[in-house]
Amino acid sequence: MDHLKVQSFVLLSHAAFEQYIEELVSEISKKALSELKNNDEVCRALLCLVASEAMLQVDKEVARRKIRSTAASDLVGFASEAYTNLTRDIKSNHGVTTADQRKLLLQVGIDPEEVDLNVSAALNAFGTKRGNIAHKFKIQTSETRSSVLAETDQIFEGLLNFDKAGCVQLKR
């Protein structure tokens, strides 16, 4: 029974970490866009959001509407479109691996590996661990309660660094 409890804890912790990253990116981008619309102020997060959207629009691997000639003259409109596309990316996110972290966090200017490499790597390993539990019928190694609790505590404490990085990105 303990084995099932540990697996359930891993699944629920993974979901909480995933939701945290998604909500952090959502709040940062929403506040950045709001500052532009309401106060005509541009912060780092908005610059990253717009630059990221411009790069994604020219990437042949990514399905985005193409850049219009009015993008340069309509920053609010382009930023709004970037925010809408980021919201879609958030909704389609299903993990906490390094690729998942980078796909969302880089769009608001946070490089998870630069902010805290250990937490980013721990999240990546935890995402793999969750995948092994959720997608494989038989797991070769059994996780212990103490190891999973120590790992989730480390990640939880380290996520505060992502919060701090988000605050930096919202500076003007």
Side-chain angles (χ1 to χ4, degrees), residues 11-115:
L11 293 172
L12 291 172
S13 296
H14 177 276
F17 295 146
E18 181 181 316
Q19 184 175 359
Y20 165 81
I21 291 170
E22 292 168 356
E23 287 182 10
L24 177 66
V25 170
S26 180
E27 287 301 311
I28 292 169
S29 59
K30 186 186 316 178
K31 181 158 178 61
L33 183 60
S34 174
E35 287 296 315
L36 175 65
K37 287 180 174 180
N38 298 330
N39 303 325
D40 206 28
E41 293 181 357
V42 175
C43 63
R44 294 176 185 182
L46 185 77
L47 290 174
C48 293
L49 180 64
V50 169
S52 178
E53 180 62 25
M55 292 185 324
L56 288 169
Q57 285 193 7
V58 296
D59 186 343
K60 290 180 171 61
E61 302 294 318
V62 179
R64 291 276 212 254
R65 285 196 293 176
K66 297 299 173 203
I67 299 173
R68 296 185 304 261
S69 60
T70 59
S73 63
D74 181 15
L75 179 60
V76 174
F78 190 75
S80 296
E81 186 176 322
Y83 174 77
T84 298
N85 286 331
L86 176 58
T87 302
R88 280 191 211 117
D89 290 344
I90 291 169
K91 288 179 182 175
S92 68
N93 182 56
H94 297 295
V96 296
T97 63
T98 303
D100 297 317
Q101 296 168 48
R102 290 176 62 81
K103 180 179 180 186
L104 298 181
L105 290 165
L106 283 176
Q107 290 190 61
V108 292
I110 299 172
D111 184 341
E113 294 168 305
E114 189 177 298
V115 171

Side-chain angles (χ1 to χ4, degrees), residues 113-159:
E113 294 168 305
E114 189 177 298
V115 171
D116 195 323
L117 181 60
N118 292 330
V119 171
S120 180
L123 280 167
N124 188 60
F126 207 77
T128 302
K129 184 179 298 185
R130 181 257 180 218
N132 287 338
I133 290 170
H135 302 295
K136 293 186 179 174
F137 293 106
K138 185 175 181 181
I139 299 172
Q140 301 297 334
T141 59
S142 177
E143 299 296 331
T144 65
R145 180 176 183 246
S146 59
S147 71
V148 169
L149 287 174
E151 192 173 4
T152 55
D153 285 344
Q154 175 200 6
I155 292 170
F156 180 72
E157 291 299 318
L159 287 176

Side-chain angles (χ1 to χ4, degrees), residues 24 28 108-111 115 160-170:
L24 177 66
I28 292 169
V108 292
I110 299 172
D111 184 341
V115 171
L160 294 176
N161 293 325
F162 290 124
D163 268 1
K164 291 174 187 171
C167 291
V168 168
Q169 290 306 106
L170 287 170

